[in-house]
Amino acid sequence: MTSPQEKAAAARKAAEEAARVAAEAVAAAEAAEREAAEQEAADKLAPSSGTGTVKVDAAKADSSEESQTVTEPVAEKQDSPEAQAIAAGYAFDGLALELGTVIVGDQVDPTARVRIPMKTINRHGLIAGATGTGKTKTVQGIAEQLSAAGVPVVVADVKGDLSGLSRQGQSNDKILGRAQETGAPDWAPTAFPVEFVSLGTDGIGVPIRATITSFGPILLSKALGLNETQESTLGLIFHWADGAGLPLLDLKDLRAVIQFLTSAEGKEDLKGIGGVSAQTAGVILRALVNLEADGGNTFFGEPELDPRDLARVEGGRGVITLFELGAQAARPQMFSTFLMWVLADLFQSLPEVGDLDKPKLVFIFDEAHLLFNGASKAFLSQVEQTVKLIRSKGVGVFFCTQLPTDIPNAVLSQLGARIQHALRAFTPEDQAALSKTVRTYPKTATYDLEKALTSLGIGEAVVTVLSEKGAPTPVAWTRIQPPRSLMDTIGEDAIRSAAQSSSLYGKYGPSVDRESAYEIMAEKLAAAAQAAEAEAPASKSRSRKAEPVDESMAEKIVNNTAFKSFLRSAATVAGREIGRSIFGTRKR
């Protein structure tokens, strides 16, 4: 027997089922009406527009006496007023680098192009995004277009993924389709002039070196991981060696100087350079020994890099110089610091040119976070100064990293172009970085930037750049053009072969070890030892009661005009040479 409660439940269930069936019936009826209306509208348009079908003449048909109708797919209309409004902000009069086309509402408009004016590339830029989002291919495409425009490019190829720039790309339907939708209908496989260089003689490219003196105390402190006190001490040691006429060309030169200053013979000299602690000098010496053990002796020395070899044009196309990480994989921080030296060297050697229609050279730092990790205030200050001032030399600098927050605010504020690939927001720290990134973009009514930055597909980026007038362009969700060169590595053997056949190999391949601090100090020590031996017999013939006090080794070593002059003038010239140029480096 059914209870009243069960009857009520059954009745309620039946009512709900009836309501559901009724709702489905209404929805089906509405759908049928819409379909009928759309069909009626299509029938009315078909005779006049011809859209959707193509008539073929009998003469063109295969052995057919009557005309026939063949159905072809109709391309969906993709012109978007919103996309066109955004693209209007990227319509520049002068030369421009093509990035891709605008996406609005999941639709790409091939006619709505996103570009960077060549005139403002020396206002620098940022290329950021999580691993696997397409940063490297964006860098590759930018390097290609700059080279094609006759602009030399220097790129840190940390992962070895950019060697394909030297080979033609591979054409297929997918690549051609993407090129068509991103505003590059003329896409064709193309190779570009590439130089492969490596830091030191253990790499696979042409060996590139710097002298210790040219590298300077600030950059060397960054490479050695010294704190600010130790950095200051190293600067004073550089100053002492310079005043004493001791050239510091390689690590053994600097090591010989510090070993002398920390020895019993050199303690008086150590006191004479600002009360430098022997313990601090010892820490620096141990850091040098560790760097040397890691192969650091291979990238300090001569011949030193001539910056003009990075700014070459061949056949109207700029040469792309790829710094391969290679054997320096264990010390990526040293690698990034060395690249900063290259930039500082360019700053010193290039003339002032002001604003140009296109840059004279573009420098791209990959894995830029390595440059700023653990950096001292002096180092960050000099990086900021370099980025600010080098644009007047016609040089553009792009930093590539995973998060914009990897770049210090003082440097980030100098970067005019922003190409932001997808960000991940899996942790509270990621969420905070996402919020900060959103606030660095101009306001936009078209996109929800916080949502967009986590929804970007591979090879898509949120972009804003500086117009030719220096104003920020509208924010554009952009599908990036595909590179025309090979999107793969060519392998270490091919890189090594290309480097050894390069014209630069004859210039930089063989090492040169000329006389410097190590040899000079060794000669002085040997001469002092010989003088001590010669004086020994004479001292025995003298009265034992009147034995003279032996001259200290320090007195023997520094018993020359250069040393005495330095000691007399140290108080008045201290610091003059350390601050003489950017990063404490010397002009050639």
Side-chain angles (χ1 to χ4, degrees):
M1 184 174 180
T2 305
S3 68
Q5 290 83 0
E6 290 174 342
K7 290 181 179 179
R12 189 180 300 108
K13 185 175 180 180
E16 290 173 354
E17 180 65 19
R20 184 186 65 78
V21 172
E24 289 179 353
V26 171
E30 291 176 349
E33 290 172 357
R34 282 197 304 270
E35 185 177 353
E38 289 171 0
Q39 183 62 45
E40 184 179 356
D43 292 341
K44 289 179 180 179
L45 290 172
S48 59
S49 65
T51 302
T53 61
V54 178
K55 287 285 186 179
V56 182
D57 292 337
K60 295 181 181 179
D62 293 335
S63 58
S64 174
E65 296 182 358
E66 297 179 357
S67 62
Q68 58 181 346
T69 301
V70 292
T71 303
E72 292 184 351
V74 181
E76 183 179 353
K77 183 176 176 61
Q78 294 175 315
D79 290 348
S80 162
E82 289 178 306
Q84 292 297 323
I86 293 171
Y90 294 86
F92 310 121
D93 296 329
L95 294 172
L97 187 154
E98 302 284 344
L99 282 179
T101 49
V102 179
I103 300 176
V104 175
D106 296 329
Q107 295 297 324
V108 183
D109 187 341
T111 64
R113 298 190 175 185
V114 178
R115 315 158 79 215
I116 305 177
M118 287 284 190
K119 192 173 183 178
T120 63
I121 285 181
N122 69 335
R123 263 51 175 185
H124 316 313
L126 171 72
I127 303 171
T131 300
T133 56
K135 294 193 306 294
T136 301
K137 301 314 170 198
T138 298
V139 169
Q140 187 171 346
I142 288 174
E144 289 177 356
Q145 292 191 52
L146 288 169
S147 174
V151 179
V153 186
V154 177
V155 187
D157 188 15
V158 174
K159 298 176 183 176
D161 295 333
L162 293 170
S163 58
L165 279 160
S166 62
R167 303 280 177 86
Q168 290 186 352
Q170 297 176 344
S171 178
N172 55 50
D173 291 342
K174 183 178 180 181
I175 293 293
L176 292 176
R178 187 177 182 97
Q180 191 75 27
E181 70 178 5
T182 54
D186 61 342
W187 188 96
T190 310
F192 295 85
V194 174
E195 285 284 3
F196 296 100
V197 301
S198 292
L199 179 55
T201 56
D202 288 342
I204 57 178
V206 175
I208 298 298
R209 308 172 187 82
T211 64
I212 290 289
T213 298
S214 176
F215 207 69
I218 296 177
L219 285 173
L220 186 57
S221 296
K222 176 68 167 62
L224 295 174
L226 304 181
N227 61 32
E228 293 187 7
T229 300
Q230 294 157 356
E231 179 184 287
S232 175
T233 298
L234 184 60
L236 291 171
I237 292 171
F238 266 68
H239 177 65
W240 182 87
D242 196 20
L246 299 172
L248 301 177
L249 302 183
D250 51 30
L251 284 181
K252 71 177 185 297
D253 292 328
L254 183 57
R255 179 161 43 81
V257 167
I258 298 177
Q259 283 174 336
F260 168 72
L261 291 173
T262 54
S263 67
E265 293 82 2
K267 61 182 179 182
E268 293 301 320
D269 298 276
L270 192 63
K271 290 179 181 178
I273 53 175
V276 171
S277 163
Q279 289 83 358
T280 302
V283 170
I284 297 172
L285 181 59
R286 289 192 293 275
L288 280 176
V289 172
N290 290 335
L291 178 61
E292 199 166 5
D294 286 344
N297 57 320
T298 71
F299 44 80
F300 286 112
E302 292 183 314
E304 189 173 62
L305 173 67
D306 183 347
R308 290 174 295 184
D309 288 327
L310 300 177
R312 294 183 296 132
V313 177
E314 293 181 356
R317 296 193 298 175
V319 174
I320 302 171
T321 302
L322 295 181
F323 273 83
E324 301 293 330
L325 184 59
Q328 285 74 47
R331 297 187 70 92
Q333 203 163 33
M334 178 67 220
F335 180 74
S336 61
T337 307
F338 188 92
L339 290 175
M340 195 66 227
W341 169 79
V342 174
L343 189 62
D345 211 26
L346 285 167
F347 175 81
Q348 291 187 22
S349 60
L350 294 176
E352 295 279 341
V353 295
D355 289 328
L356 302 172
D357 289 336
K358 62 181 181 181
K360 295 187 69 173
L361 184 142
V362 173
F363 208 98
I364 303 177
F365 278 97
D366 195 8
E367 302 294 335
H369 66 281
L370 297 172
L371 188 65
F372 301 106
N373 282 350
S376 67
K377 291 180 181 179
F379 180 86
L380 293 176
S381 175
Q382 297 295 3
V383 172
E384 181 186 356
Q385 182 184 354
T386 304
V387 173
K388 280 183 178 179
L389 300 180
I390 203 168
R391 70 183 187 190
S392 64
K393 306 292 184 86
V395 177
V397 183
F398 278 72
F399 292 97
C400 243
T401 189
Q402 293 195 13
L403 293 170
T405 50
D406 293 336
I407 311 295
N409 289 335
V411 176
L412 192 63
S413 64
Q414 302 297 318
L415 311 182
R418 305 288 179 89
I419 304 172
Q420 178 65 64
H421 289 267
L423 289 175
R424 305 292 180 241
F426 299 139
T427 67
E429 290 78 11
D430 292 342
Q431 288 284 357
L434 176 61
S435 298
K436 290 180 180 178
T437 301
V438 169
R439 291 198 296 270
T440 66
Y441 279 86
K443 291 183 178 180
T444 172
T446 307
Y447 308 110
D448 177 348
L449 279 182
E450 191 158 329
K451 182 179 179 182
L453 288 173
T454 57
S455 304
L456 293 165
I458 296 174
E460 295 177 357
V462 170
V463 175
T464 182
V465 304
L466 293 181
S467 70
E468 291 172 314
K469 296 180 180 179
T473 57
V475 175
W477 184 330
T478 307
R479 182 158 294 171
I480 306 295
Q481 287 187 2
R484 301 177 184 230
S485 55
L486 183 65
M487 290 189 280
D488 197 0
T489 182
I490 63 174
E492 289 193 2
D493 291 341
I495 293 173
R496 187 176 287 107
S497 176
Q500 292 177 356
S501 62
S502 165
S503 60
L504 295 182
Y505 198 83
K507 182 176 181 179
Y508 296 111
S511 298
V512 176
D513 188 12
R514 62 185 174 93
E515 186 179 69
S516 52
Y518 176 82
E519 289 78 14
I520 293 173
M521 296 194 76
E523 288 177 6
K524 290 184 180 296
L525 286 169
Q530 289 177 359
E533 290 177 1
E535 290 177 2
S539 64
K540 290 180 181 179
S541 63
R542 297 172 187 165
S543 171
R544 292 183 179 180
K545 293 182 180 180
E547 279 190 24
V549 178
D550 290 337
E551 187 180 21
S552 71
M553 184 63 70
E555 291 171 332
K556 294 173 183 177
I557 293 176
V558 300
N559 190 23
N560 61 67
T561 304
F563 276 44
K564 291 176 181 178
S565 174
F566 164 72
L567 292 174
R568 284 194 301 270
S569 62
T572 59
V573 300
R576 173 175 56 83
E577 294 297 326
I578 295 174
R580 63 193 154 193
S581 60
I582 200 156
F583 287 111
T585 59
R586 299 186 63 178
K587 291 187 177 180
R588 300 176 185 277

